[in-house]
Amino acid sequence: RGLGDVYKRQTVVFVAIVIVLNVVVSALAERFPSMDIDMTAQGLNTLSDQAIEIAQSIDEDTTIYLIGSEDAYENNQIYSSYGLEYSQVASLARRLAEANSHIKVEFVDPDTNPTFISEYADEDLSTGKVMVQTERRHRVLTVTDLFTIEQDQTTGGYNTYSMVDSALAGALELVNMEDVPVFTIATGHGEMLTSDNMASFISMLEDQNFEVQEIDLLTESIPEGTQVLMLPTPTTDYSEAEVDKLREYLNNTTNPEALTLLATSNPTQGSMPNYEAFLEEWGIRVEEGVVAETNTDRMALADAYGVLVDPSEDYLSGNTYDRLVSYYSAPITKLFDANNGISTYDLWTTSDSAYVVTEDTTEEQAADPDTSSQTVASVSSKYVQVDGSSVTRSLVMFGSSYVFLDTFMSNAFSDGSFVTDLTLYLTGNDGSNVTVLTERVQTNEMDVTATRSTMDMWGIIFSAVIPVAILACGLVIFLKRRHL
């Protein structure tokens, strides 16, 4: 009997120790998230070296607001019908905070804290969004910044990818930067390109820590800090006052940053005398007609107007772009190589098997066209003196508006990579201020190949058979000790 009491006391002590250890470990894990071992095969809950480096460099108080309840994040209740691992957002945010005491994480439930949500009414802070904030500025991340879902063309199924690591790191870097390069989009002239159909391009810019703004060129001034001003295929002419704004922007002799005017065109754009005269000052003219390709090997999308192009060796020569496409592009003519300090360059050119289709092109001419290399994107540039230093002013023209649409900004083409790299190059960003590379990690990748029935069998074994067996063993041991 005495021996039984000893066993009982030992059991009680053992259980107490287990409970205490569990409480202590849980408390430590909450305080030090890295104590939680990442059991995912893809390392979803492990910060990249780049994210850790950015977090450790932060020297201003920064708050990561996770919009939604803590339980919703922890239990993957957010966008659960899409199978997104939203617990990863909370896990990585906490690990960023652990890396630097200047960073903290707060959960904001819209149902219990509507006052906070109303303070940022323009941001539409709904459950699943993340807002990273400093005294300088804030950045809001949506579900599409954090995750993406794509259909597998082979299986027909859907794959989910996480960009949480790079998205959080990029937002941390952006809100802590002293100066943020501004990319301004001019509106007010029936532009063919808008923030809606350029969503992927704008997202790429924001990933590279550009602040994207929109203005009405007629009524508003070009924002301070604008390094790129985009004219996204206007369809009505600019006034003389607006053209003067463009001239002043490119002739600025006080801004030490490189400045670029990025313009896009379209064969259906129409006549705009004031705008066209301004472009000619910079040595370019957008011609009538559409560039087409006769060589099927140089066509994209099995379309003669989907012309594969070659990038100039004068820009981004160290990079490789496999599939650059200028779809439904107007041809561009360089009026001079150099004049009044302005030099002109080809940016994208077609093969010698291309030609131009106009309203006057006959069926006979289309059947046997005169082919030659066509310029479909160009760069005009000059130097201005700012405090004794030479600084570039550039005008970039793309003959195709389609380049900037979501379709051609996708991973199937190299247009997105080229345009992003070109923007960084022309604004003088060498990577010192724009360091975050977007990395995608597949979250629904199967670690073990097995049939559905096999997976169900193992699920039953681990969820029912093993626990019941352990319980039975424990009960047997308890009963035996009880009768000692």
Side-chain angles (χ1 to χ4, degrees):
R1 189 70 178 175
L3 187 58
D5 290 338
V6 172
Y7 281 136
K8 288 179 182 179
R9 285 195 296 272
Q10 288 177 341
T11 302
V12 170
V13 172
F14 176 75
V15 172
I17 292 174
V18 170
I19 293 174
V20 171
L21 283 175
N22 185 58
V23 171
V24 171
V25 170
S26 297
L28 288 174
E30 185 173 348
R31 176 65 182 85
F32 302 102
S34 59
M35 288 188 63
D36 279 338
I37 300 174
D38 187 358
M39 300 296 290
T40 63
Q42 302 88 352
L44 297 178
N45 296 314
T46 300
L47 290 172
S48 66
D49 292 340
Q50 184 185 42
I52 294 174
E53 182 179 352
I54 290 173
Q56 291 175 342
S57 70
I58 302 301
D59 56 11
E60 293 189 18
D61 290 342
T62 305
T63 304
I64 302 174
Y65 293 101
L66 304 182
I67 310 303
S69 69
E70 187 171 359
D71 285 343
Y73 279 86
E74 296 292 354
N75 298 316
N76 291 317
Q77 296 171 354
I78 303 172
Y79 294 102
S80 57
S81 60
Y82 295 95
L84 301 182
E85 298 285 340
Y86 246 83
S87 58
Q88 183 196 12
V89 180
S91 176
L92 293 187
R94 288 185 175 122
R95 290 172 190 252
L96 288 169
E98 181 186 2
N100 190 325
S101 60
H102 285 292
I103 303 172
K104 66 178 181 178
V105 177
E106 292 187 15
F107 292 87
V108 179
D109 190 337
D111 295 330
T112 59
N113 194 352
T115 302
F116 181 92
I117 303 301
S118 64
E119 291 176 359
Y120 301 92
D122 292 342
E123 300 291 359
D124 188 24
L125 295 178
S126 54
T127 295
K129 290 187 176 181
V130 176
M131 185 172 76
V132 184
Q133 184 180 53
T134 63
E135 290 186 353
R136 296 179 186 271
R137 63 187 69 86
H138 66 265
R139 170 78 188 279
V140 175
L141 301 173
T142 65
V143 61
T144 54
D145 295 316
L146 300 167
F147 300 94
T148 186
I149 300 176
E150 295 179 2
Q151 186 172 22
D152 190 313
Q153 298 301 316
T154 303
T155 65
Y158 289 88
N159 296 324
T160 57
Y161 297 89
S162 168
M163 295 92 70
V164 175
D165 179 272
S166 52
L168 290 176
L172 278 177
E173 184 180 43
L174 172 66
V175 299
N176 281 278
M177 289 173 65
E178 185 173 348
D179 296 306
V180 177
V182 178
F183 187 102
T184 300
I185 302 172
T187 66
H189 287 273
E191 286 76 11
M192 293 184 179
L193 294 174
T194 67
S195 56
D196 291 331
N197 57 28
M198 290 195 298
S200 294
F201 174 58
I202 292 174
S203 178
M204 287 181 183
L205 290 172
E206 291 176 340
D207 287 343
Q208 297 298 332
N209 286 341
F210 280 89
E211 179 182 340
V212 180
Q213 299 189 22
E214 290 189 7
I215 63 165
D216 186 318
L217 192 60
L218 179 62
T219 60
E220 298 178 87
S221 300
I222 298 173
E224 184 178 354
T226 297
Q227 283 195 255
V228 181
L229 174 63
M230 185 178 190
L231 308 180
T233 320
T235 57
T236 61
D237 203 4
Y238 293 109
S239 66
E240 284 291 349
E242 290 172 299
V243 171
D244 285 341
K245 283 185 181 181
L246 300 180
R247 290 194 183 102
E248 290 173 5
Y249 174 73
L250 288 179
N251 290 324
N252 187 304
T253 57
T254 60
N255 191 330
E257 303 291 346
L259 304 180
T260 298
L261 183 66
L262 173 61
T264 59
S265 187
N266 189 284
T268 63
Q269 198 167 1
S271 176
M272 292 176 283
N274 291 339
Y275 181 43
E276 291 164 9
F278 167 73
L279 294 178
E280 290 182 4
E281 294 174 13
W282 283 80
I284 62 170
R285 181 170 60 230
V286 180
E287 305 287 2
E288 295 181 357
V290 185
V291 176
E293 181 60 73
T294 62
N295 184 351
T296 56
D297 291 336
R298 299 282 299 187
M299 296 180 189
L301 306 175
D303 191 330
Y305 296 135
V307 180
L308 292 174
V309 297
D310 300 312
S312 167
E313 295 182 359
D314 294 319
Y315 291 88
L316 310 177
S317 58
N319 297 5
T320 301
Y321 305 97
D322 296 327
R323 287 174 58 83
L324 291 176
V325 182
S326 187
Y327 184 77
Y328 202 71
S329 176
I332 297 172
T333 296
K334 295 185 300 175
L335 302 179
F336 54 77
D337 290 328
N339 184 49
N340 197 28
I342 298 174
S343 299
T344 61
Y345 307 89
D346 291 330
L347 186 61
W348 281 1
T349 55
T350 71
S351 69
D352 293 334
S353 54
Y355 69 106
V356 178
V357 181
T358 67
E359 292 181 354
D360 299 327
T361 301
T362 65
E363 291 185 8
E364 291 78 9
Q365 290 172 328
D368 186 22
D370 292 330
T371 60
S372 62
S373 177
Q374 303 292 327
T375 299
V376 292
S378 66
V379 178
S380 304
S381 63
K382 69 176 183 180
Y383 289 99
V384 298
Q385 293 296 312
V386 179
D387 296 331
S389 300
S390 295
V391 185
T392 58
R393 303 289 183 254
S394 302
L395 189 154
V396 178
M397 172 60 75
F398 281 87
S400 169
S401 300
Y402 288 87
V403 169
F404 293 85
L405 294 180
D406 292 346
T407 299
F408 292 95
M409 287 286 120
S410 69
N411 293 328
F413 303 96
S414 298
D415 294 24
S417 297
F418 182 92
V419 172
T420 301
D421 292 344
L422 179 67
T423 304
L424 296 176
Y425 175 82
L426 291 171
T427 54
N429 287 300
D430 59 0
S432 59
N433 292 327
V434 186
T435 61
V436 180
L437 300 176
T438 301
E439 297 289 348
R440 304 193 320 164
V441 180
Q442 187 171 342
T443 62
N444 63 338
E445 185 176 0
M446 299 298 291
D447 301 321
V448 179
T449 302
T451 64
R452 182 72 229 179
S453 59
T454 301
M455 295 298 291
D456 290 341
M457 180 189 70
W458 281 109
I460 293 172
I461 290 174
F462 280 102
S463 63
V465 175
I466 293 178
V468 170
I470 293 174
L471 181 62
C473 290
L475 184 60
V476 169
I477 293 172
F478 172 75
L479 291 175
K480 286 184 175 180
R481 288 179 175 178
R482 185 180 179 183
H483 294 292
L484 287 175

